Amino acid sequence: MHIPDNYLSPATCGTLVAAMAPVWTVSVLKVKAQVKKRHETLPMLGIAASLAFLIMMFNLPIPGGTTAHAVGGTLLAVLIGPWAACLALTVTLLLQALLFGDGGILAFGANAFNMAFIMPFVGYACYRIGHHYHHDKLGLAVGAYLGINLAALVAGIELGLQPLLAHTANGTPLYCPYGLNVAVPAMLLAHLLVAGWVEVLFSLFVFQFVQKVAPTNLYQTPVKTHQRPWVYLLAGLAVLSPLGLLASNTAWGEWSPQELKQQLVQQHLGTHVPQGMQHGFQFDALFSDYAIGGLPVSVGYVLSAATALIIFLLLIRGLQRGTDTTK
């Protein structure tokens, strides 16, 4: 679901950044107020961002030869609240784009709109309905499934609209070459059949874990956070992260220009990638595809996960010190 650069037109990217700007502003204000009431919010922000990062490293094989992954958007909203989840997921997506080349720089607003806005808020609304009727787990399951699939639907619409919004005089697409009739079913198929159910299972697993070992971490209960069980969980996921390499194919709509060209040739849709993709924005991430030069891919994967955890830890400690000095 990480849309790369040059799949969306600059106008689409700019529009979605503008759409996210008020969401980010309100999120910051809401989280500031939340931190004053519940000091455990700051460490939980780092834990939540780390959890989302690790979840998204576990790629899953999809029928048809592509891959997908869970995100944890609803789970994060339940654990720390939807506004804090929005910020945690935003930071995660930014780190993925800047350091690991997972998702585009220009497409950052689109990816944040889909995974940091739609997913946690839709999922949390479903969870609250379930909570109202004393069926927390059912609400979480429905929210996790609907949240990720609605985000996938919107991503498919964003991609599928590109041939209509940006094309040459003769109608040739400048960016994503697949229309709505292809992009929407492709995105939904992967998430309705596989990724959505994994999202549900993982969300329920962590929710059960929280209730057993750290019940005070739930968003509605403003009590001191027990962080040690989270350290064990995150460390375990980091060590297991190379399992995500078992699904080695590229997710639909995340191909490199070379891979896209092969797709188009195989499907008899042309022999050249769209002009906007050929001459678009190029960014070389330091650890592209979570690989570290000279090391086995699996080792690079684990080190990438560890690097992200350290960055999140340092970021949260810096925020905690800044908060303490302003008191």
Side-chain angles (χ1 to χ4, degrees):
M1 202 185 301
H2 289 72
I3 299 175
D5 280 327
N6 306 320
Y7 272 77
L8 302 178
S9 69
T12 302
C13 293
T15 299
L16 290 169
V17 168
M20 280 302 298
V23 176
W24 286 324
T25 301
V26 175
S27 295
V28 170
L29 295 175
K30 292 281 188 178
V31 170
K32 280 185 176 180
Q34 185 176 328
V35 168
K36 291 181 179 179
K37 294 181 179 179
R38 304 167 183 172
H39 298 297
E40 70 274 14
T41 296
L42 273 180
M44 281 302 296
L45 271 172
I47 290 170
S50 301
L51 186 60
F53 183 93
L54 292 171
I55 291 172
M56 287 188 265
M57 294 187 76
F58 289 87
N59 294 308
L60 308 163
I62 302 297
T66 64
T67 62
H69 57 73
V71 177
T74 298
L75 174 65
L76 265 60
V78 171
L79 292 177
I80 60 175
W83 295 105
C86 178
L87 285 187
L89 286 163
T90 295
V91 173
T92 299
L93 292 169
L94 185 61
L95 180 66
Q96 288 174 329
L98 290 175
L99 198 57
F100 303 102
D102 196 2
I105 303 298
L106 298 182
F108 172 66
N111 290 322
F113 185 81
N114 302 335
M115 288 183 273
F117 176 55
I118 290 176
M119 195 180 300
F121 282 93
V122 169
Y124 187 72
C126 295
Y127 168 77
R128 290 301 297 167
I129 293 173
H131 179 75
H132 178 76
Y133 291 102
H134 308 289
H135 292 289
D136 288 12
K137 292 182 180 178
L138 178 60
L140 174 63
V142 172
Y145 190 76
L146 288 182
I148 193 171
N149 278 289
L150 186 56
L153 171 62
V154 174
I157 292 173
E158 292 163 356
L159 292 167
L161 284 175
Q162 298 311 301
L164 298 175
L165 298 175
H167 52 77
T168 63
N170 64 1
T172 302
L174 289 171
Y175 299 97
C176 178
Y178 297 104
L180 291 167
N181 62 323
V182 175
V184 170
M187 290 298 297
L188 280 179
L189 177 68
H191 293 84
L192 286 171
L193 294 182
V194 180
W197 297 108
V198 175
E199 181 90 1
V200 170
L201 292 175
F202 193 88
S203 298
L204 289 174
F205 166 75
V206 176
F207 186 78
Q208 189 74 16
F209 166 84
V210 170
Q211 289 188 319
K212 286 185 177 180
V213 303
T216 58
N217 284 344
L218 292 177
Y219 172 49
Q220 293 86 0
T221 310
V223 188
K224 184 175 177 59
T225 301
H226 302 294
Q227 296 179 35
R228 183 170 295 179
W230 287 107
V231 173
Y232 296 148
L233 176 63
L234 295 176
L237 289 174
V239 171
L240 294 174
S241 62
L243 291 175
L245 295 169
L246 296 176
S248 58
N249 293 329
T250 304
W252 196 94
E254 297 183 23
W255 306 290
S256 67
Q258 294 76 19
E259 290 174 316
L260 177 59
K261 181 178 179 179
Q262 293 176 357
Q263 294 279 339
L264 295 173
V265 170
Q266 292 173 2
Q267 297 162 2
H268 306 289
L269 297 176
T271 58
H272 301 284
V273 299
Q275 292 181 19
M277 300 183 73
Q278 288 182 5
H279 308 292
F281 176 75
Q282 302 296 327
F283 176 76
D284 295 323
L286 185 60
F287 304 121
S288 183
D289 295 327
Y290 304 97
I292 299 177
L295 294 176
V297 178
S298 59
V299 175
Y301 224 61
V302 173
L303 291 179
S304 294
T307 299
L309 297 184
I310 292 171
I311 290 174
F312 291 135
L313 172 64
L314 294 176
L315 178 62
I316 293 304
R317 285 196 172 181
L319 290 174
Q320 284 180 312
R321 288 178 181 176
T323 302
D324 293 339
T325 58
T326 57
K327 288 181 181 180

